[in-house]
């Protein structure tokens, strides 16, 4: 998995490619925590290049969402492929996280 | 008190009756004295009832004393009767020719009574000792023949128990196995065995029973049979050895032992699990030429202590890797100067002969031991078994791929790569593979994090099976019994603040995979994931 961070319209966008699973979620969590520690509170996970996500990846998203909820920040996940969408549906994350079909729509939500 | 001692018989031969009377006068009070006045008569009396000693005149008309002596010595009935020459001649050259004929002694005439008495007494005593020795030897010979018979019967039983036909599995190209047992003349109770316990797993056994003869052979036969029976419903060498040991030590009045090396190798995955019970450590010769000593020991010899829980280790065999299992008759073979063949010489042989067949390897090793021994008698049985994998394990054979990973999270990456390759080969869609990868991530993580009690050297078996309708992934671990699908389901309707992540993995597996199943099979947890391919 590769993660890169860029900024657009005051939102920190994390581009994830590959998979977000047991072996990669720690790196993703570290990246996000760095952003939060630096005071950034608008986080967009762009999953356009993400193949799949397992519960370890969901845990990172949930932890991040909980932290932003406390600090009054915002978090959106966009560009889910069908399998990732299915995982979100099964886990109920589709109902508790802010989702967007693409980056443009996501940025508009902040 | 009556004299119980047997009275010896002395035959005196002389053509002069006066001389016979003299001899009689000296000896008759102590011995039975028979007389003969010529050679033929002497031979006749001696053959009819051999005396204990013969006093023989040399100068006689017709047949002289030398001729009589020669005839006595050539007749088995009289050969052992000591002959003392009585003669007027005292030249040493005559004495020499008499001794050459087998005479026991010489007495010159005229006879000195005390000397005659003393010489006769001495030679009769010697004769008596000789007879006793002969008798004892006779008894020993009977015993020895009986023991040899028993050893031979034991040897016959031993050899009849071994698989001797090679190639052993002509229709299984993915492996080759060769073995030999060269029995020692006396000591020895080696055996070897190899057999498939199911389609994929072969069991290899080499053992060395203490003792010899029929009892050792029977002990070996029982051990070998018990191992095979146990192996048929037990995939773990440690468990097989533990159960066999319990049975063998429970009723072992003769206190016999057996050292044992047993391995179960999955010829598809290359996983090679082994238990060493007091046996000398085997070698794995890698296809790269690297020689590994399997020096882990997992418990004492079989038959000694009841209730021992044996352990096991495993390693992976790849294509071209050879397991070389043997008994100490190899390394402890001696040359004429009592030097041991030793492991270092064996390692030289294993190291230098690189690309040969298992049969060549076995034969070359034996040839090396024999050339070292250089004719010295073989003290112990020599057994050698070589087993080689010819196919790359885990390569998909037909529509199946199977391999083993270490129980480490980083290994999930390897499963994913294998699954990608398999998917490409069988044109399985990306969506199905993504779902399977999620499920594998969840399940394998679960097994590694919670499934094992102690963390040493655990591994997990993975297999992919593909038909035109289904793709089935199996995940097999040897951890504590645990049905992951019985875990509590999380409440997916809770808000962010209240959501817990636990249990989510299993939920994903259940929902993403078309069909999931758990079963406890042969002390392993088996989870199978089935994806239907036609729905796409």
């Amino acid at each position: 998995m590769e993660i890169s961070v860029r900024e657009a319209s005051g939102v920190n966008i994390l581009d994830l490619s590959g998979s977000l699973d047991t072996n990669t979620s720690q790196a993703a969590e570290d990246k996000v925590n760095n952003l939060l520690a630096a005071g950034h509170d608008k986080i967009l996970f762009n999953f356009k290049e993400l193949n799949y996500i397992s519960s370890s990846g969901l845990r990172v998203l949930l932890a991040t969402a909980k932290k932003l909820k406390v600090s009054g920040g915002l978090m959106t996940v966009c560009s889910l492929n069908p399998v990732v969408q299915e995982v979100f549906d099964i886990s109920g994350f589709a109902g508790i996280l802010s989702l967007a079909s693409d980056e443009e729509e996501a940025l508009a939500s902040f | 008190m009556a004299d119980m001692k047997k009275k010896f018989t002395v035959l005196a031969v002389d053509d002069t009756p006066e001389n016979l009377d003299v001899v009689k006068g000296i000896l008759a009070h102590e011995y039975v004295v028979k007389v003969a006045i010529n050679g033929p008569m002497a031979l006749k009396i001696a053959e009819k009832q051999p005396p204990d000693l013969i006093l023989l005149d040399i100068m006689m008309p017709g047949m002289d004393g030398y001729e009589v002596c020669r005839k006595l010595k050539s007749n088995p009935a009289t050969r052992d009767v000591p002959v003392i020459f009585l003669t007027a001649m005292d030249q040493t050259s005559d004495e020499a020719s008499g001794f050459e004929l087998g005479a026991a002694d010489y007495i010159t005439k005229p006879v000195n009574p005390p000397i005659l008495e003393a010489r006769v007494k001495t030679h009769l005593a010697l004769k008596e000792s000789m007879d006793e020795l002969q008798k004892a030897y006779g008894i020993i010979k009977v015993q020895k023949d009986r023991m040899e018979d028993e050893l031979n019967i034991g040897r016959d039983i031993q050899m009849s128990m071994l698989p001797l036909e090679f190639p052993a599995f002509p229709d299984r190209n993915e492996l080759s196995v060769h073995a030999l047992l060269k029995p020692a003349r006396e000591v020895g109770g080696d055996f070897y065995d190899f057999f498939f316990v199911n389609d994929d797993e072969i069991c290899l056994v080499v053992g060395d029973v203490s003792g010899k003869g029929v009892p050792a052979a029977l002990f070996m036969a029982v051990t070998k049979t018990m191992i095979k029976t146990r192996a048929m419903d037990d995939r773990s060498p440690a468990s097989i050895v533990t159960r066999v040991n319990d049975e063998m030590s429970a009723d072992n009045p003769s206190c016999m032992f057996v050292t044992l090396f047993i391995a179960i190798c999955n010829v598809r995955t290359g996983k090679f699990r082994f238990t060493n019970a007091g046996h000398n450590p085997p070698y794995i010769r890698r296809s790269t030429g690297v020689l590994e000593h399997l020096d882990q020991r997992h418990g004492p010899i079989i038959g000694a202590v009841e209730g021992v829980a044996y352990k096991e280790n495993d390693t992976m065999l790849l294509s071209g890797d050879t397991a070389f299992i043997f008994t100490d008759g190899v390394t402890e073979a001696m040359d004429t100067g009592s030097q041991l063949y030793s492991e270092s010489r064996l390692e030289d042989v294993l190291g230098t002969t690189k690309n040969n067949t298992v049969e060549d390897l076995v034969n070359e090793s034996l040839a090396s031991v024999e050339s070292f021994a250089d004719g010295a008698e073989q003290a112990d049985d020599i057994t050698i078994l070589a087993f080689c994998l010819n196919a790359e394990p885990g390569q998909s054979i037909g529509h199946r791929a199977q391999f083993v990973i270490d129980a480490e999270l980083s290994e999930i990456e390897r499963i994913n790569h294998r699954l990608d390759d398999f998917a490409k080969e069988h044109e399985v869609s990306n969506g199905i593979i993504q779902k399977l990868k999620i499920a594998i991530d969840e399940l394998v993580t679960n097994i590694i994090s919670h499934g094992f009690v102690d963390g040493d050297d655990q591994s997990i078996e993975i297999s992919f099976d593909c038909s035109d309708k289904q793709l089935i992934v199996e995940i097999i671990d040897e951890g504590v019994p645990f049905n992951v699908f019985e875990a509590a389901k999380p409440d997916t309707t809770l808000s962010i603040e209240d959501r817990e992540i636990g249990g989510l993995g299993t939920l994903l597996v259940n929902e993403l995979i078309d069909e999931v199943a758990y079963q406890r099979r042969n002390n392993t947890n088996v989870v199978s994931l089935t994806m239907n391919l036609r729905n796409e």
Side-chain angles (χ1 to χ4, degrees), chain A residues 21-23 51-56 58-59 62 65-66 69 81 83 86-87 90-93 96-97, chain B residues 409-410 412 416 431 434-435 437-438 441-442 445 492 494-497 499 501 504-505 507-508 511-512:
Chain A
D21 56 18
T22 301
N23 283 308
N51 283 326
Y52 64 92
I53 184 169
S54 75
S55 61
S56 332
L58 293 179
R59 196 187 54 76
L62 184 65
K66 283 187 176 180
K69 189 99 182 174
N81 77 18
V83 171
E86 197 175 340
V87 169
I90 295 165
S91 59
F93 275 41
I96 54 178
L97 296 180
Chain B
L409 294 176
S410 57
I412 296 173
N416 288 343
Q434 286 165 354
K435 290 178 184 177
K437 282 181 179 175
I438 294 170
D441 189 68
E442 304 296 352
T445 302
T492 56
L494 293 174
S495 65
I496 287 180
E497 292 89 339
R499 268 305 286 273
I501 209 72
L504 199 49
L507 175 71
L508 291 179
E511 297 296 322
L512 291 172

Side-chain angles (χ1 to χ4, degrees), chain B residues 213-488:
Chain B
V214 173
L218 292 178
F219 196 80
M220 164 260 186
V222 171
T223 310
K224 181 175 170 291
T225 309
M226 213 176 270
I227 292 168
K228 193 163 184 174
T229 312
R230 290 289 170 230
M232 285 305 172
D233 66 353
D234 196 333
R235 300 171 68 239
S236 152
S239 160
I240 295 166
V241 171
T242 298
R243 291 163 73 185
V244 169
N245 177 60
D246 279 347
E247 292 190 54
M248 298 304 282
S249 22
D251 183 25
N252 186 10
S254 49
C255 288
M256 291 216 264
F257 311 120
V258 52
T259 73
L260 199 64
F261 182 88
I262 172 169
I264 292 184
C265 181
N266 187 316
V267 299
R268 283 189 192 278
T269 65
K271 189 171 183 185
F272 184 92
R273 301 185 298 161
F274 60 96
T275 291
N276 186 337
H279 198 79
N280 49 316
Y283 290 95
I284 300 281
R285 191 181 67 180
R286 300 296 180 186
S287 59
T288 55
V290 173
L291 205 57
E292 288 173 23
H293 213 188
L294 294 185
D295 51 9
Q296 297 94 335
R297 293 177 184 276
H298 304 104
I301 45 179
I302 306 294
V305 195
E306 208 178 335
V308 177
Y310 287 82
K311 295 191 164 61
E312 67 182 40
N313 279 94
D314 59 61
T315 182
M316 291 294 294
L317 294 190
L318 298 175
S319 175
D321 289 352
T322 304
F324 187 91
I325 312 166
F326 58 100
T327 56
D328 57 8
V330 173
T331 42
E332 288 170 17
M334 284 189 200
D335 65 5
T336 47
S338 295
Q339 295 277 315
L340 294 179
Y341 180 72
S342 80
E343 288 183 337
S344 68
R345 284 188 179 82
L346 179 61
E347 285 169 12
D348 286 347
V349 174
L350 295 176
T352 50
T353 53
K354 203 167 163 250
N355 295 312
N356 42 16
T357 63
V358 283
E359 184 175 2
D360 287 347
L361 183 62
V362 168
N363 291 336
E364 278 173 33
S365 308
L366 178 67
S368 167
V369 173
E370 283 176 338
S371 109
F372 170 80
D374 197 21
E377 194 186 341
Q378 184 188 335
D380 198 357
D381 288 357
I382 290 175
T383 301
I384 305 170
L385 185 152
F387 167 81
C388 181
L389 271 192
N390 304 327
E392 199 62 62
Q395 261 180 1
S396 60
I397 301 167
H399 294 292
R400 189 173 162 80
Q402 195 176 8
F403 55 98
V404 177
I405 60 159
D406 294 335
E408 284 165 22
L409 294 176
S410 57
E411 291 274 278
I412 296 173
E413 197 74 355
R414 204 150 71 83
I415 309 177
N416 288 343
H417 284 305
R418 298 300 274 266
L419 189 56
D420 283 336
D421 291 345
F422 192 78
K424 208 172 287 172
E425 204 176 315
H426 294 91
E427 296 173 343
V428 181
S429 79
N430 203 23
I432 285 178
I433 295 308
Q434 286 165 354
K435 290 178 184 177
L436 281 171
K437 282 181 179 175
I438 294 170
I440 289 167
D441 189 68
E442 304 296 352
L443 295 169
V444 173
T445 302
N446 217 359
I447 291 166
I448 293 169
S449 316
H450 310 296
F452 297 118
V453 178
D454 46 7
D456 59 351
D457 291 344
Q458 301 286 359
S459 59
I460 299 171
E461 248 175 74
I462 309 285
S463 71
F464 308 141
D465 245 304
C466 194
S467 68
D468 48 351
K469 292 177 188 166
Q470 292 179 322
L471 170 58
I472 302 170
V473 174
E474 267 193 351
I475 304 170
I476 304 173
D477 72 83
E478 295 166 347
V480 293
F482 177 67
N483 182 353
V484 66
F485 302 116
E486 283 173 355

Side-chain angles (χ1 to χ4, degrees), chain B residues 131-184:
Chain B
D131 286 349
E132 278 169 7
L133 277 174
Q134 285 284 354
K135 204 169 147 192
Y137 176 74
I139 294 167
I140 291 167
K141 176 98 173 37
V142 169
Q143 292 288 343
K144 186 168 167 279
D145 289 351
R146 191 178 298 159
M147 268 170 61
E148 256 168 25
D149 281 352
E150 197 191 285
L151 287 173
N152 288 337
I153 294 166
R155 187 69 63 224
D156 289 348
I157 297 173
Q158 180 186 19
M159 297 307 282
S160 71
M161 293 292 292
L162 306 174
L164 296 170
E165 217 165 280
F166 297 102
F169 307 105
D171 54 339
R172 305 279 311 232
N173 295 326
E174 69 269 40
L175 69 119
S176 31
V177 61
H178 195 83
L180 66 76
L181 193 162
K182 191 188 176 210

